[in-house]
Amino acid sequence: MSARDQLEQLRAGVVAVYSDEELDTLVAGGRPLRVKLGVDPTAPDIHLGHTVALTKLRQFQDFGHTGVLIIGDFTARVGDPSGRSATRPQLDAATIERNARTYQEQVFKILDPARTEVRRNSEWFASMTMEGVLRLSAQMTVARMLEREDFKERHRGGVPISLHEFLYPLMQGYDSVMVRADVELGGTDQTFNLLVGRDLQRDAGQSGQVAIVVPLLEGLDGVQKMSKSLGNHVGVSDSPEDMFGKIMSASDPLMLRYYTLLSRVSAARRQEIARGSVHPMEAKKALARELVARFHGEEAAERAAGFFEQRFQKRTAHAPTEVAIETSEPDVGICQLIKQVGFAPSTSEAKRLVAQGAVRVDGRRVEPDYRFRGGVDRLLEVGKRRLADVRFVPPSKS
């Protein structure tokens, strides 16, 4: 593949490149590049939001470059303050180690092990002396640090910023110096940190890395960043059936975004889907199959697709009824929703149906106190013949 074609793929779905000219020069140069991605093991599992940068790193690997994966077992002790409105609680060493092992197992569902160099930043930080810390700190001013939007907002609002949080961008940047990165990948919330690494490399006599900024992936609600704590995530360790069903619950616009950021289909295929040349349901099934196959294998993807069709398509006499519920609330009581959709004449009748076990949400049987979550839950099933594809929309202005 020509350098021009490679650059087109590498720029697909990217928010910004610092700088485009330098990336052009690196790729055209033809030498294998060292492409860095840092991950802090602050949680036990990886979800699809994490895989946006991992998928971009895999693209570089497919073009013959080396992926340098930094497991931030030392920076995790500080906690990344990016996008935070308060100091992140510090984790103990045992939790970090446990999470680090899980991360290393899960990332190779995406990355090519033969082209991946795994490093832990405790290799250099655990032995750094106070003199080393002072030298590193001297390369950053407080004024520059307060240019970061999250720090700026906290300072302006009188919200405390711990001194150790100021060290985080320096530590992430120093990782780039230690592994001599040519390119670093990171989400939009990491832009400042990526550029600090570029500056520190130049101070160390290296060529400053090219910083490639990828977008943060919205969760299944289509609004907020994908997060396990918000319940809008798709975990790479989810069962094939759950993963398939969750992806099928995504809205059509969100599906297109997932194609851009997560899928490996060609640009031409993505354009066909965006133009509507492919039925949205079929496009969504293809995306669900692709992602389940990536994390669980082709056989599991086939089984998950069959399970979905049996559960949601063949059990009902008709295709799902599309229903838009006008509400500004994040969730609605299941009995109230059943009445609003028209599957029961009253909430008391709806409660009876739920108590009988006749009501399912995305294939899961629910209890009378269940609250249907907009953008997370999708398919409401009552009995064997009533199925609604439910979406929340803002109330219309009168």
Side-chain angles (χ1 to χ4, degrees), residues 165-282:
E165 293 182 90
F166 277 175
L167 289 175
Y168 188 91
L170 288 167
M171 294 170 75
Q172 182 175 327
Y174 191 70
D175 289 346
S176 297
V177 175
M178 294 304 294
V179 301
R180 305 187 72 87
D182 296 301
V183 177
E184 183 174 10
L185 304 172
T188 51
D189 58 344
Q190 298 294 316
T191 304
F192 182 91
N193 299 345
L194 302 181
L195 296 179
V196 168
R198 183 175 163 91
D199 291 342
L200 291 182
Q201 284 183 304
R202 287 170 172 168
D203 289 344
Q206 300 177 16
S207 298
Q209 65 189 12
V210 170
I212 297 183
V213 182
V214 297
L216 300 178
L217 187 72
E218 296 87 350
L220 294 171
D221 56 7
V223 178
Q224 299 197 68
K225 170 184 169 183
M226 185 173 284
S227 166
K228 189 172 183 179
S229 63
L230 294 175
N232 65 356
H233 71 295
V234 182
V236 301
S237 59
D238 282 351
S239 72
E241 292 77 15
D242 282 349
M243 182 179 289
F244 197 100
K246 285 182 178 180
I247 295 165
M248 292 301 296
S249 75
S251 66
D252 293 346
L254 187 60
M255 171 196 68
L256 294 176
R257 186 144 172 87
Y258 284 8
Y259 259 107
T260 299
L261 300 180
L262 301 173
S263 177
R264 294 176 186 163
V265 300
S266 67
R269 182 62 174 172
R270 287 199 303 271
Q271 290 168 3
E272 287 178 359
I273 294 168
R275 287 196 304 266
S277 301
V278 181
H279 191 283
M281 179 64 76
E282 294 308 312

Side-chain angles (χ1 to χ4, degrees), residues 384-395:
K384 295 184 177 181
R385 295 182 177 275
R386 289 171 289 181
L387 184 66
D389 183 347
V390 181
R391 303 185 192 207
F392 287 7
V393 297

Side-chain angles (χ1 to χ4, degrees), residues 331-388:
D331 52 44
V332 171
I334 191 66
C335 297
Q336 179 186 346
L337 181 67
I338 293 169
K339 180 185 175 183
Q340 284 183 271
V341 169
F343 286 171
S346 65
T347 54
S348 59
E349 173 63 15
K351 187 173 182 179
R352 185 184 66 80
L353 290 168
V354 176
Q356 289 178 343
V359 178
R360 294 174 182 268
V361 172
D362 291 338
R364 306 183 307 275
R365 187 172 293 169
V366 297
E367 299 297 325
D369 61 351
Y370 186 81
R371 298 192 67 81
F372 191 99
R373 301 159 296 168
V376 178
D377 297 329
R378 183 70 177 270
L379 295 170
L380 172 65
E381 185 180 9
V382 178
K384 295 184 177 181
R385 295 182 177 275
R386 289 171 289 181
L387 184 66

